[in-house]
Structure formats: structure tokens, C-alpha cells
Amino acid sequence: MKFLDLARVTIRSGAGGNGASSFRREKYIEFGGPDGGDGGDGGNVYAEAIDHLNTLIDFRYQQHFFAEDGKGGRGRQMTGRNGNDIVLKVPVGTQILADDQETILADLVTVGDRVMLAEGGSGGWGNLRFKTSTNRAPANSNPGFDGIEMEVWLQLKVIADVGLLGLPNAGKSTFLAAVSNARPKIADYPFTTLHPNLGVVESHGREFVVADIPGLIAGAHEGKGIGDRFLGHVERCSALLHLVDGTSENICHDYDIVINELEMYGGGLAQKPRFTVLNKCDALGDELSEAFAKELSEHIGAPVLTMSAVSKDGVAHVLSHLADHISKVKAEEREASTKKDDTGWRP
């Protein structure tokens, strides 16, 4: 299945049905009076996050979603039927943006999240509604209100606990394949990863989700390479795992390129908790690996882990660090949620 994380769609809620202008005409009833019913309401347009979807590819083939119009009222005080609603089924993590692609209308982050995007028009009143003590036989009725038509953008930001960062060919896809059941494309040329991949990772009985995005290069924020369009997929991550190619000629320079792109992108990515790992240490040997890790650690002022995604040396140690961090974050979130519930008023 192709990956699509951005789609533009046109939605329109249903128009309300017209009210009826009718009079009761029955034998032996001289003054039947008005009996026109109201029109039905138009259908609404909703967006709902559902499970088992990880792409917006369906919206490439269908871009128009129109709810049903309400039916008109009829005589004998019969109200028109309401129009059927329409629901856009989207993956968890989808944001609904206005046509300017900046205003966020909704953010669907959990399964079952549902939001109304366009409300249907109200049905018009029948002439029965206009009957008063001084106007016993009104002939006027109201038309239904129009629905709302608008264009919105659907933007998917995958839900993951850890986001993988690094230059092209830093070994991100190899790492994801080594620690999960994900099967990303792996090759010895840059940009083998063209769209995000997700993998479920287990470490000592603790599971978390890792997202692998296409590699960054210098100038990605200006659109070079694949650009920084996929960085939005790691905005929701609790931590970032930055892989540095240990066989590179200048590991410190490689590190700085990625960090600079994070800072230029914004969104708080550069301030997220980040684990730096020197990868491909199987090609260096223990002595060089330790020396390069020390050099990089002094450069960034933080600890640097070492591993080889190919031989899996050091991988378990890296996963343990990640699992500890994710467990701590989730525990803090549960505690914050509990405190929030406890402050609620109870009768």
C-alpha cells in the first residue's frame, strides 16, 4: 500500500429541506387550517479516527464528500426526513487543517476521536408554524438553509514513541528491521527510505513503537533531498534516537547537520529528549568505537551509546535506555491524568 500523509478534500454538509405550505381539506371540516410540515435537517460531515489505518491513500482517489440533503415537508403535518450524515474515516494521528494549511480544526490522536467538520442546514418551517390567533390561515413557509461547503487538508502525523533521525545511510532502516517485525527497504545508497516506517519493539517485556523517517541532509529545511516534510511524523514522539554513522569521515559534522535541520524546522524537535548512538561499530572495532564515541560525546556534551545494527552488538543496551525513558514518560502521563481527574468536582 502506498503511503500518503497529506490530502486535500472538499466537504459539503446537506442543505435543509423546504417547509411545506398546505391546508387541511376534509369533508365536514369547514376550517381545516394550515397543516404544512417542516423540512428535514441536512446531514452533517464528520471525521473519525479509526484503527488499522496508517495512510491517507484512500483520499487520493476520492476527494469529494457530500452529506445528504434533508427532505421537504409535506401536508398533514408531515416533517421531511433528515439527510444522512457522512463520516471521513482517517488514521489515528490525523490533523484537520483549514484551506490555509495553518489553522488546525481538529487533531484526532486516539481511536474513536470524532469531530463535526460541517453542520447540515436546518430544515425550513412549514406554514403550520406561522399560525397565530390573528393569522389563522398563513400561506407562507420557509425554505431550508444551505449546507456548508469547504476545502480542508488532512495531514497525518504518525503516532510513535521513538523517532529515528540521521543522515541517509546512517543505518536507521537496518536498526528498525533488526529490532522489530518491520521490513523497510535496505540498500547501500542514500534515500532508500522514501516514507515513514513503523515497528513495534520489545525490551524486557516492555513494548514501544519506533518510527523511521527518510534521512536528512544539509539544507533539508529548504527542500533539498526529500526535504523536512516527514519531520512532522516525529513531533509526537516522546524521544528521538539519533544514529550517527561511525564509518563517516567526520562524525561531529554529520551530527551537527541533523541538529541544525531540527532547529531550522522548529516545533520543539531540537528540545526533545534525544539519545545519540554511534552506529556501524562492527566495522570499527572496539578501540576505534570507544575513541569515536568519546570524541562525539565531548563535542555534544552528552553521553553517546555505541552499537551495530548489523551484528546487533549493543542494540539491547540501546533498547533498554529507550524503554526506561518511555516507561518513565508514560508513568508521568498516568500520574498527571490521575491528578487531573482527582481535581474534578464530585457531588
Side-chain angles (χ1 to χ4, degrees), residues 248-293:
S248 172
E249 295 181 357
N250 193 332
I251 57 175
C252 295
H253 178 66
D254 290 355
Y255 174 89
D256 291 340
I257 289 176
V258 174
I259 299 305
N260 180 64
E261 294 305 321
L262 295 184
E263 294 173 347
M264 297 301 296
Y265 177 83
L269 282 184
Q271 287 73 45
K272 275 187 174 294
R274 186 169 60 250
F275 295 85
T276 304
V277 178
L278 189 67
N279 192 23
K280 303 185 181 181
C281 290
D282 58 313
L284 300 176
D286 294 340
E287 187 175 342
L288 276 180
S289 297
E290 184 178 348
F292 286 175

Side-chain angles (χ1 to χ4, degrees), residues 160-162 179 181 199-210 319 322-327 330 334:
D161 298 306
V162 177
V179 300
N181 289 327
V200 178
V201 179
E202 189 270 339
S203 175
H204 301 290
R206 298 170 294 180
E207 288 189 348
F208 54 93
V209 179
V210 176
L319 294 182
L322 293 174
D324 289 343
H325 175 79
I326 299 303
S327 298
K330 290 183 176 180
R334 287 193 296 268

